[in-house]
Amino acid sequence: MPVRDARLTDVNTLVRGNCAMARETEGLELDPDRMRTGVEAVFADASKGRYWIEESHGATRGQLLVTYEWSDWRNAPVWWIQSVYVWPEARVRGVFRSLYAHVDLEAKAAGAAGLRLYVDLRNQSAQQVYERLGMDGGHYRLFEAMF
């Protein structure tokens, strides 16, 4: 499954995915205009973060945002997965794993000290979404990979 860097022309898709993710996992209706400004800020300053898209036949199937944080313990950056969303019609097709594998390789190639995902284990609605994506709990360990 091809994963590529998101482009500025993908902003509308990224906004829709982020809003859908917030709705599904948090029960929040976010302001798309405010979200658009936030997504565009990532493209304006790549040192803050980076989006990737997994697509098939020109259709976006999943998206992932990484931000970077300096780790003084490791004297290297740690990559944080801030959001990952797989479109409902693409779930259980390996999109999550494809995105993760790609970002894992990118992080290692860039000299990151690790790749992490923050998940609030108290958020049951988010847990249900993750389970529908095929994540069985092992994905927490997967995302806590320190290289």
Side-chain angles (χ1 to χ4, degrees):
M1 292 176 228
V3 176
R4 65 168 175 81
D5 279 298
R7 300 181 286 263
L8 196 52
T9 55
D10 296 312
V11 166
N12 289 338
T13 299
L14 295 169
V15 168
R16 281 193 310 275
N18 284 342
C19 287
M21 178 184 57
R23 191 176 310 110
E24 278 187 62
T25 62
E26 306 286 339
L28 297 173
E29 288 298 328
L30 299 179
D31 177 3
D33 292 330
R34 183 181 181 119
M35 177 68 69
R36 179 179 317 286
T37 301
V39 170
E40 289 172 347
V42 173
F43 288 98
D45 184 357
S47 68
K48 292 181 181 175
R50 187 170 166 191
Y51 275 102
W52 283 276
I53 287 179
E54 198 273 359
E55 62 186 2
S56 178
H57 306 292
T60 300
R61 296 166 24 125
Q63 64 191 57
L64 187 145
L65 169 65
V66 164
T67 59
Y68 315 110
E69 178 180 278
W70 186 255
S71 171
D72 57 350
W73 287 17
R74 295 170 182 84
N75 192 29
V78 172
W79 288 23
W80 283 89
I81 295 175
Q82 296 295 327
S83 63
V84 57
Y85 185 69
V86 177
W87 294 90
E89 60 274 10
R91 293 179 183 165
V92 303
R93 292 196 181 108
V95 175
F96 168 79
R97 294 276 178 191
S98 176
L99 284 163
Y100 174 78
H102 183 84
V103 171
D104 183 60
L105 287 173
E106 293 273 343
K108 288 174 181 170
L115 179 62
R116 298 185 126 179
L117 169 69
Y118 171 77
V119 176
D120 184 347
L121 297 175
R122 297 168 297 175
N123 185 334
Q124 293 301 308
S125 62
Q127 296 304 313
Q128 291 169 356
V129 171
Y130 296 141
E131 287 169 11
R132 287 194 306 268
L133 287 172
M135 301 181 201
D136 61 1
H139 69 285
Y140 298 120
R141 287 183 296 282
L142 184 83
F143 276 125
E144 288 294 322
M146 299 308 285
F147 309 133

